[in-house]
Amino acid sequence: MIKSEWKEKGYIDEPIPAEIDLKKEIRRLCAEKNAVIMGHYYTRNEIQDVADFVGDSLALAQQAAKTTADIIVMCGVHFMAETNKILCPDKKVLLPDLNAGCSLADSCPADELAKFKEEHPGYKVLAYVNTSAAVKAHTDIVVTSSNAREIVDSLPADEKIIFAPDKNLGGYLNAVTGRNMLLWNGGCHVHEQFSVEKIVGLKAANPGAKVLAHPECKNSVLALADYVGSTAAILSFAQKDECNTFIVATESGILHEMQKRCPEKNFIPVPPMSGSCACNECAYMRLNTLEKLYNCLKYEWPFVELDEQLRERAKLPIERMLEISAKIKK
Ligand code: 13P
Ligand code: SF4
C-alpha cells in the first residue's frame, strides 16, 4: 500500500484536492480513528492550532503515558515520537515526516556514549530526552529541561554523573546545582546560533524588556537572561511577570503560544548571528505540515517502530524520570 517513493522520502506527498478543508478533515480523521495529535511548541502555528495537545517535551511524554487514544500523531521530532512509542507500545505512533530529526540527539551516537560509560565506571548517566532510544537504553535517568535541575538535586551530593548530550544545559545545571557532572560535547544547532550582540542591541532598543532564554543556549546568552527555563517555564514566566516586553531566546515557534496567552504583551524573537537566515527556526520541527499530517492520518504512515528489547531498556530511565517528576510536583 505504501508507494516505494513515499518510503524513500519518509513522508507521503499524495496530492490533496484543493477543495478539502484540511483542518476539518484532520479533525474528522482523528474522531474516526480515535487518534490524538500532539504538538511541540516549536511546530508551525497551524499545526499547534489543530493539535489536541500542545506542550513541552515533559508534558508530551506525560500526556502519551496516559492517553486512551489508539493512534498518537506526534507533530514534533523523531525522538519525541520514539518516546511515545516506548511508553505506549500497543498504540500506533505516527510522525508526519520521518526526516524530522534533531541535531542535538544526533550529536550523541549510542555506541560512543556506551564507550564513554565504560571508560567511567561508577558514573550514573543522565540523558536529556533529546536522545535516541538507543542512547536512552544506556541511560539511568532521562531528564527534560523542565525537570533536570530537580532530578540532579534529588541525587546524593557525591554521586558521579555523566550528563549527555547538551553541553550548554549540562553547564547551566552544574552552575545552578554546584555539581561537577562530566558533560557530553553536544548541542542544538538552533539554540547555539543566538547572537549576544543582537540581544544587547534589542535590550538597548527596548528599555525594561526582559530576556527569556532556554538552557540549551550558550553560556554567553544565558548570562544576559533575566529568566532561564524550559519552554513551558518560559511561557508561564511571561504570563505571570508584570513586564510587558520580552526578548525570547528559544525557537521562535513558541511565540505563537506566548501571543495567544498574553495578547497584550510584546514578544521579540532573538535573531541568529548571521543576518538573514531563519536559524531561530528548527528546520526539523518545520517539516511537520498540515498536508503531511493529513496524509499520515489518512494512510496511518509513517509510523515509528522499535525493537522490543531496546524499547524495554529505554523505558526504564523514562519511567524513573516520570516517577521523580510526579514526586517533585507533590
Ligand atoms: P523543552 O520542550 O523541554 O523545553 O525542550 C526544547 C527542545 O529543544 C525540544 O526539542
Ligand atoms: Fe533538536 Fe534543537 Fe530542533 Fe529542539 S530545536 S528539536 S533540540 S534541533
Side-chain angles (χ1 to χ4, degrees), residues 97-144:
D97 188 332
L98 285 179
N99 304 304
C102 167
S103 56
L104 180 51
D106 289 347
S107 68
C108 187
D111 55 340
E112 289 179 27
L113 180 68
K115 191 164 166 271
F116 192 69
K117 221 176 126 174
E118 257 175 48
E119 290 162 2
H120 296 88
Y123 276 74
K124 269 212 158 47
V125 176
L126 257 58
Y128 197 25
V129 69
N130 299 39
T131 44
S132 65
V135 163
K136 291 186 175 83
H138 291 294
T139 294
D140 292 290
I141 312 176
V142 166
V143 305
T144 75

Side-chain angles (χ1 to χ4, degrees), residues 42 77 79 101-104 130 188-191 216 251 282 284-285:
Y42 294 166
V77 293
F79 76 81
C102 167
S103 56
L104 180 51
N130 299 39
C188 156
H189 73 295
V190 178
H191 288 88
E216 287 174 27
E251 212 275 0
C282 174
Y284 299 114
M285 289 278 184

Side-chain angles (χ1 to χ4, degrees), residues 17-146:
E19 65 276 12
I20 277 191
D21 179 337
L22 269 180
K23 286 189 180 170
K24 216 167 132 193
E25 277 304 294
I26 287 168
R27 292 312 320 166
R28 187 189 61 74
L29 285 168
C30 278
E32 184 186 301
K33 297 177 182 238
N34 189 25
V36 67
I37 301 174
M38 300 205 194
H40 190 272
Y41 291 126
Y42 294 166
T43 48
R44 294 168 185 271
N45 298 354
E46 60 273 24
I47 297 273
Q48 294 187 41
D49 291 342
V50 84
D52 293 275
F53 182 81
V54 182
D56 71 347
S57 306
L58 176 62
L60 293 171
Q62 287 167 329
Q63 199 66 23
K66 63 178 188 208
T67 185
T68 54
D70 295 314
I71 297 178
I72 300 173
V73 193
M74 185 63 239
C75 291
V77 293
H78 194 270
F79 76 81
M80 296 176 176
E82 248 185 10
T83 303
N84 289 353
K85 186 67 185 172
I86 292 167
L87 292 168
C88 312
D90 301 332
K91 299 188 191 301
K92 198 169 221 181
V93 178
L94 305 174
L95 181 65
D97 188 332
L98 285 179
N99 304 304
C102 167
S103 56
L104 180 51
D106 289 347
S107 68
C108 187
D111 55 340
E112 289 179 27
L113 180 68
K115 191 164 166 271
F116 192 69
K117 221 176 126 174
E118 257 175 48
E119 290 162 2
H120 296 88
Y123 276 74
K124 269 212 158 47
V125 176
L126 257 58
Y128 197 25
V129 69
N130 299 39
T131 44
S132 65
V135 163
K136 291 186 175 83
H138 291 294
T139 294
D140 292 290
I141 312 176
V142 166
V143 305
T144 75
S145 46
S146 271

Side-chain angles (χ1 to χ4, degrees), residues 243-270:
C243 186
N244 267 316
T245 303
F246 297 95
I247 298 164
V248 185
T250 190
E251 212 275 0
S252 57
I254 198 174
L255 267 74
H256 186 56
E257 183 66 21
M258 285 180 149
Q259 213 64 77
K260 259 191 192 172
R261 291 195 198 179
C262 315
E264 75 293 350
K265 294 191 180 183
N266 184 22
F267 298 100
I268 308 167
V270 175

